[in-house]
Amino acid sequence: MAGRRVPARSRATIVEDAPVTPDSPTISAPAAILDGLQGRDCPVCGAPERGARPFLSASVDPERIGALSFASRKPPEYMSFRLVRCETCETVFAAEAPGAEALARAYRDAGYDSAEEALYAARTYAQALAPRLGPEHRRGTALEIGAGSGVFLQELLDLGFAEVVGVEPSHEAVAAAPAALRPHLRIGVFEPGAHRPGSLSLVCCFMTLEHVRDPRPLTRAAYDLLEPGGLLAFVTHDYRAPINRLLGRRSPIIDIEHMQLFCPASLRRLLGEAGFGEIDIGAIRNRYPLRYWLRLLPLPGPLKPAGLAAVEALGVGQRSVGLNVGNLLSVARKPL
């Protein structure tokens, strides 16, 4: 079933209540990502799509696809391809999605406007991961897949890693990297052949696993690249978290970028089948400025800009707030 073509007339439906934000510029061919959508089976266990249950109908407006549609930490657009839930492993996935080359182009050309939020996210991930790192990991090489502007690489260097490497497809994100970190960044998609098998002590993939078309090959490649005892760390959304279930289609995790959504069961299946042991999956508490949390809220009409203006006028927009918003940290070890 994988690779089947989808007729053009079934590619998208219009969502009229999703507001166009002023910081969402259109790209030269906004509907190009919709050309040649391909049918998919479950990207975690391979179960046929025909046996999956409906999760959400398609909600894509080609006119609203802009330069920030495939950028990190953008204002929510609440667009998605047709989503189904696998009855075997509980993964939610896009039943029709762009091909790998189309996705690579979309991320290559994506805008970048999340420098402040990236710093907060990097600190959150570093604090959550640090207790799991031993001296044997810190004296090795760490790879981050989907590194953005590379700020988490600095956290790893501060934790004592001997060498860090980040892979990031967005040219704008890499251009925004601090000068000292640019030598550690590689522009492009993750290519396992760029690293020797068994040469890494840590592989990180934060808020990126939902975006890749095929998470199984990525996870298995990470296993091969890790040295015995090495760690793989994912941060993903949990579609089963109470806040995401409450918000439904108005949850920020409903996004055209997301090829799949995970829960603890699907992550455990993905990591276990790749060969990892000592799999630890738990919720993490994110800390961001109040203005960022307000950007994520599904407020109607003029309420959101009014709220943002109010917190800035009060001088509290920069105040950081820690919340559990349904994100998971998964850490797994390659057996010795």
Side-chain angles (χ1 to χ4, degrees):
M1 184 176 293
R4 65 185 185 278
R5 289 293 193 181
V6 178
R9 62 180 177 273
S10 67
R11 289 177 188 160
T13 56
I14 304 296
V15 179
E16 295 180 352
D17 63 344
V20 177
T21 57
D23 54 349
S24 296
T26 57
I27 56 180
S28 57
I33 195 69
L34 304 179
D35 292 339
L37 295 184
Q38 300 173 357
R40 307 166 76 215
D41 294 327
C42 178
V44 168
C45 72
E49 182 268 327
R50 64 177 177 272
R53 287 193 176 186
F55 187 80
L56 279 179
S57 59
S59 57
V60 179
D61 179 356
E63 298 302 319
R64 296 184 57 247
I65 300 175
L68 293 182
S69 291
F70 286 81
S72 63
R73 301 180 186 90
K74 65 189 179 187
E77 296 170 319
Y78 311 115
M79 295 194 294
S80 75
F81 298 108
R82 180 171 68 92
L83 300 177
V84 298
R85 184 172 71 86
C86 177
E87 290 286 86
T88 302
C89 70
E90 304 181 31
T91 305
V92 167
F93 63 97
E96 297 89 28
E101 291 185 6
L103 283 175
R105 287 195 300 270
Y107 286 112
R108 179 197 65 197
D109 298 335
Y112 182 78
D113 72 339
S114 58
E116 179 183 53
E117 293 87 355
L119 286 169
Y120 278 90
R123 291 168 191 157
T124 294
Y125 303 154
Q127 290 169 4
L129 188 58
R132 296 165 168 83
L133 299 172
E136 70 277 16
H137 303 118
R138 299 173 195 245
R139 60 173 172 258
T141 299
L143 168 68
E144 184 182 9
I145 302 170
S149 61
V151 290
F152 182 71
L153 299 180
Q154 184 61 60
E155 297 287 341
L156 291 175
L157 290 170
D158 293 343
L159 287 171
F161 273 82
E163 181 57 54
V164 295
V165 180
V167 179
E168 170 56 44
S170 169
H171 288 243
E172 285 198 24
V174 174
L181 293 175
R182 287 179 193 166
H184 298 282
L185 288 167
R186 309 288 182 267
I187 298 178
V189 297
F190 171 53
E191 295 287 351
H195 310 273
R196 287 185 299 103
S199 64
L200 304 176
S201 62
L202 174 68
V203 176
C204 299
C205 187
F206 299 146
M207 292 304 183
T208 298
L209 197 64
E210 290 94 343
H211 301 234
V212 302
R213 184 175 170 88
D214 297 305
R216 276 193 298 179
L218 182 151
T219 306
R220 290 170 178 171
Y223 181 92
D224 292 337
L225 294 177
L226 285 167
E227 62 189 15
L231 297 180
L232 175 64
F234 290 149
V235 173
T236 59
H237 302 291
D238 178 6
Y239 75 85
R240 286 194 160 174
I243 188 170
N244 291 323
R245 296 173 71 176
L246 175 67
L247 292 175
R249 190 181 285 281
R250 303 294 286 179
S251 167
I253 73 171
I254 304 304
D255 195 310
I256 193 174
E257 292 185 88
H258 291 162
M259 301 295 102
Q260 51 273 326
L261 295 169
F262 299 96
C263 64
S266 59
L267 288 164
R268 196 168 295 276
R269 175 76 175 254
L270 178 68
L271 292 163
E273 288 194 352
F276 287 97
E278 299 181 43
I279 300 169
D280 181 22
I281 302 173
I284 59 172
R285 186 180 179 88
N286 288 84
R287 180 170 290 276
Y288 285 113
L290 181 58
R291 66 168 71 96
Y292 175 72
W293 291 125
L294 280 175
R295 285 174 64 193
L296 295 184
L297 284 177
L299 298 175
L303 287 182
K304 183 179 291 189
L308 288 168
V311 299
E312 297 300 344
L314 293 171
V316 296
Q318 178 61 31
R319 182 173 297 175
S320 66
V321 178
L323 296 172
N324 181 343
V325 290
N327 294 329
L328 297 170
L329 171 65
S330 303
V331 180
R333 184 183 301 273
K334 181 175 180 177
L336 292 171

